[in-house]
Amino acid sequence: MATLLIAEHNGTELAPATLSALTAAQQIGSEITILVAGANAKAAADAAAQCSGVSKVLLAEGDSLAHELAENLSELIVSLAGDYSHIMAPSNSVSKDTMPRVSALLDVGQLSDITAVLSDAQFQRPIYAGNAIATVTSKDAKKVITVRAAAFDKAAATGGSASIESVAAPAENTAATWVGDELSKSERPELTAADRIVSGGRGVGSAENFALIEALADKLGAAVGASRAAVDSGFVANDLQVGQTGKIVAPSLYMAFGISGAIQHLAGMKDSKVIVAVNKDEEAPIFQVADYGLVGDLFDVLPELTEKL
Amino acid sequence: MKVLVGVKRVIDYNVKVRVKSDNTDVDLSNTKMAINPFCEIAVEEAIRLKEAGVATEVIAVSVGTTASQEQLRTALALGADRAILVESEDGAEPLNVAKAFAKIMEQEQASLVILGKQSIDSDNNQVGQMLAALTKRPQGTFASKVAVDGDSVSVTREIDGGLRTVKLALPAIVTTDLRLNEPRFAKLPDIMKAKRKPLETKTFADLGVEVKQHIQLDKVEAPATRQGGVKVGSVDELIQKLKDEAKVI
Ligand SMILES: Cc1cc2nc3c(=O)[nH]c(=O)nc-3n(C[C@H](O)[C@H](O)[C@H](O)COP(=O)(O)OP(=O)(O)OC[C@H]3O[C@@H](n4cnc5c(N)ncnc54)[C@H](O)[C@@H]3O)c2cc1C
């Protein structure tokens, strides 16, 4: 038994989600190799080699890996798969894109978004927007797994001294080409890595009004999140959506303003440690999961809160 | 250009699912069922391609129980030309579903397959990518914009950091995200007309797909429920609680 863990990184650093997935890998209990793939990822590979409980780091660098295209990345992973019983990655937009492709190429099923490791073959994962938890057993010799980072503590990023080995990058798939990115730029913490999140919903009313959410977030050093309604209405960018089909978060503090608490939204944040909800409708379902609820107008509460903190 | 769209019958998104008391599965008896919302977006996109003169035929495909005919009829009412039901037990595994789609894609010589990015019941997010791998074709997942141009398609994808656009040679597989379009509602006359549109039923065996079990469902439990907390009366009280009680600020 051996595990190949595909790192999430930005070329220089590992994403915190990688460390959470490493914890899941450690719970499986076999030897762990981390794969760091990218156009330029030496520094991230160095960081991976420092992680505790990692025996080896594979570094794949090449132009074909520059934009995380699933067609190329899946070729790389499948070319390495022979040596491993478990192929894992933190759940993110790259692994969601790539890992099912890996599974199909290996003719095995995929376990998406596991939240608990019960044995080397048995896992738990949420279904129905987290309203049910399934215990599942993989019958395949090779197990392809994505890990819900919010469900696992982060493994230590230090204490290890794994060797780094270079592996060849795959050939470029000519049927899929990268055209361009429109990435959101922000000085604020990344949503899935943040310890505090201030989220706004339809009740915030407009993109301009989101400045109120941002002001509180900045005061708290928090990330900004949103409901689907706020994204659909164009108040904020798509990558801020929290929920069943957006990002799954579990910060120490989650503050929801003008969010009703639909099951799809709750699915993405109900494992937060402390939840605060501010809503003018005292019947709003968000209050059923909130530790502290304040019935009131967010346009009064937000400025007052930002000022008094 | 033929377009295939996937249609999955799932619990209505407004309904909160219950777990069976024997923990074998969720209880879907007497539950309102609907087209998976992401599949609805896929159907809409395909119909728009037909209306724009890009697609010549839209074929709705479902892998599911006989009851899935209801959702296929809805897709036909929305504008799909014909439908194929691959009969299966409830809860067909993504890889088996992808294999069925691969066969149909080949038989129909479809240039574009549009599927929902995930179904709101099993939350797997797998079939489109698996289909792309099985057919060795490129994929544009989590699409918020799709533009066909001759023998390629440009897909703008929702990714963790924002948006990414890729260009794919056709045939290609696209999976839909929430903001690709706003699906229309079926009109009554179209619902009547849909009853006469062709709906063909096949089995995995007809398609030459060997159904394999990869993942076994052992148990389904309700999640730990979160206790609702308290209501505070003022911003000052909220700050005091967050500082002294929760100790998070
Ligand atoms: C397939 C599918 C996937 C989905 N995925 C997601 C997802 O990932 N994430 C997600 O969030 N949603 C998702 N949704 C949408 C979800 O069902 C809800 O529609 C959405 O979460 C509602 O957003 P909201 O709470 O901001 O808006 P609303 O439900 O409209 O709630 C607005 C709230 O603001 C309050 N309010 C208004 N004005 C004020 C004020 N001045 N002060 C205080 N409170 C005020 C109102 O009382 C109300 O409770 C999904 C839906 C579908 C069908």
Side-chain angles (χ1 to χ4, degrees):
Chain A
M1 260 194 3
T3 297
L4 180 67
L5 173 64
I6 291 95
E8 175 180 345
H9 64 90
N10 62 3
T12 48
E13 290 172 333
L14 295 179
T18 304
L19 299 174
S20 301
L22 178 55
T23 298
Q26 288 167 349
Q27 290 175 1
I28 288 172
S30 52
E31 211 164 81
I32 298 165
T33 297
I34 296 189
L35 170 66
V36 177
N40 215 318
K42 176 79 177 68
D46 288 339
Q50 306 287 307
C51 294
S52 74
V54 176
S55 350
K56 192 161 56 172
V57 173
L58 299 178
L59 172 63
E61 287 184 308
D63 291 346
S64 62
L65 298 169
H67 305 290
E68 303 155 323
L69 293 179
E71 291 79 0
N72 301 334
L73 199 49
S74 59
E75 281 304 321
L76 171 69
I77 296 169
V78 170
S79 75
L80 302 170
D83 298 337
Y84 303 96
S85 56
H86 295 74
I87 302 169
M88 304 175 75
S91 195
N92 56 47
S93 59
V94 175
S95 68
K96 285 179 188 167
D97 192 33
T98 305
M99 295 293 263
R101 223 177 146 104
V102 171
S103 300
L105 292 172
L106 297 173
D107 197 28
V108 301
Q110 175 181 306
L111 300 138
S112 295
D113 253 331
I114 62 157
T115 51
V117 175
L118 304 182
S119 77
D120 60 8
Q122 198 183 40
F123 307 90
Q124 283 186 333
R125 56 177 303 268
I127 53 176
Y128 292 90
N131 288 307
I133 307 295
T135 299
V136 290
T137 298
S138 163
K139 307 294 244 180
D140 294 311
K142 278 191 198 304
K143 294 156 182 53
V144 177
I145 298 168
T146 63
V147 178
R148 177 169 292 192
F152 294 88
D153 291 333
K154 292 188 244 325
T158 54
S161 57
S163 59
I164 302 178
E165 202 176 287
S166 282
V167 292
E172 197 114 27
N173 182 315
T174 51
T177 46
W178 174 82
V179 176
D181 285 348
E182 239 177 277
L183 300 182
S184 312
K185 285 196 187 65
S186 167
E187 298 293 301
R188 298 189 186 89
E190 208 275 308
L191 202 46
T192 52
D195 191 46
R196 294 170 175 174
I197 295 173
V198 181
S199 273
R202 197 195 308 274
V204 177
S206 69
E208 294 73 48
N209 292 347
F210 243 81
L212 294 169
I213 297 280
E214 289 162 2
L216 176 60
D218 290 342
K219 194 85 184 236
L220 289 168
V224 169
S227 70
R228 172 189 175 181
V231 176
D232 285 5
S233 311
F235 304 168
V236 291
N238 63 279
D239 52 300
L240 297 189
Q241 180 179 313
V242 171
Q244 178 188 17
T245 61
K247 288 183 179 159
I248 311 287
V249 299
S252 311
L253 176 63
Y254 187 92
M255 305 183 84
F257 293 87
I259 293 177
S260 61
I263 51 177
Q264 292 85 7
H265 189 78
L266 300 184
M269 45 64 78
K270 69 177 161 51
D271 293 324
S272 304
K273 210 163 127 237
V274 174
I275 296 174
V276 172
V278 177
N279 197 303
K280 65 180 182 189
D281 172 11
E282 65 174 312
E283 301 292 327
I286 188 85
F287 287 126
Q288 291 164 19
V289 300
D291 299 283
Y292 303 109
L294 179 54
V295 179
D297 191 318
L298 66 91
F299 296 105
D300 298 329
V301 174
L302 269 170
E304 188 184 343
L305 196 55
T306 307
E307 196 204 302
K308 287 183 171 166
L309 276 171
Chain B
M1 174 174 110
K2 274 196 206 177
V3 179
L4 287 190
V5 281
V7 171
K8 186 176 182 188
R9 175 183 170 91
V10 298
I11 188 170
D12 183 275
Y13 80 96
N14 277 311
V15 179
K16 191 169 168 184
V17 77
R18 287 178 319 272
V19 170
K20 281 186 185 164
S21 55
D22 64 1
N23 291 114
T24 51
D25 207 339
V26 297
D27 185 359
L28 293 180
S29 54
N30 304 316
T31 302
K32 188 173 172 213
M33 303 297 279
I35 297 188
N36 177 43
F38 289 101
C39 301
E40 237 181 330
I41 296 171
V43 171
E44 177 67 33
E45 196 65 17
I47 295 164
R48 287 186 191 186
L49 286 172
K50 190 166 179 213
E51 287 168 347
V54 177
T56 50
E57 191 180 26
V58 175
I59 307 162
V61 180
S62 187
V63 179
T65 61
T66 313
S68 303
Q69 288 191 6
E70 191 187 334
Q71 279 63 45
L72 284 172
R73 288 287 170 206
T74 307
L76 292 169
L78 289 167
D81 297 296
R82 56 191 173 91
I84 301 172
L85 172 64
V86 181
E87 281 201 329
S88 133
E89 285 175 16
D90 235 345
E93 288 195 41
L95 187 53
N96 294 322
V97 174
K99 285 177 179 174
F101 270 91
K103 291 288 185 188
I104 294 172
M105 187 178 169
E106 186 193 317
Q107 285 174 359
E108 298 287 350
Q109 293 291 299
S111 302
L112 187 64
V113 182
I114 312 179
L115 304 177
K117 78 164 179 181
Q118 84 191 58
S119 56
I120 61 164
D121 50 2
S122 51
D123 281 335
N124 275 314
N125 195 335
Q126 297 174 2
V127 175
Q129 298 88 316
M130 288 176 161
L131 172 61
L134 294 170
T135 55
K136 304 201 164 35
R137 295 310 308 165
Q139 67 191 44
T141 54
F142 329 143
S144 67
K145 200 171 156 208
V146 173
V148 176
D149 178 18
D151 53 9
S152 70
V153 59
S154 268
V155 180
T156 301
R157 309 179 45 230
E158 294 201 1
I159 60 169
D160 286 346
L163 298 171
R164 167 166 292 168
T165 303
V166 291
K167 194 173 167 195
L168 314 172
L170 295 174
I173 287 84
V174 167
T175 75
T176 63
D177 216 318
L178 294 168
R179 282 159 284 275
L180 180 56
N181 59 49
E182 253 179 76
R184 68 193 72 187
F185 294 99
K187 295 194 203 78
L188 191 61
D190 293 331
I191 294 170
M192 300 310 290
K193 263 191 265 168
K195 293 192 173 135
R196 293 191 301 271
K197 287 188 179 175
L199 192 162
E200 200 183 340
T201 300
K202 299 187 185 213
T203 62
F204 279 107
D206 294 341
L207 294 168
V209 174
E210 186 200 339
V211 177
K212 287 192 219 161
Q213 189 188 40
H214 299 279
I215 292 164
Q216 169 187 303
L217 182 63
D218 302 325
K219 190 162 66 171
V220 175
E221 291 161 296
T225 51
R226 201 182 167 101
Q227 297 296 323
V230 296
K231 290 254 169 68
V232 293
S234 67
V235 168
D236 290 322
E237 193 188 341
L238 176 61
I239 293 174
Q240 181 260 319
K241 293 267 192 208
L242 291 176
K243 280 199 169 128
D244 303 337
E245 197 176 89
K247 300 192 170 44
V248 283
I249 57 171

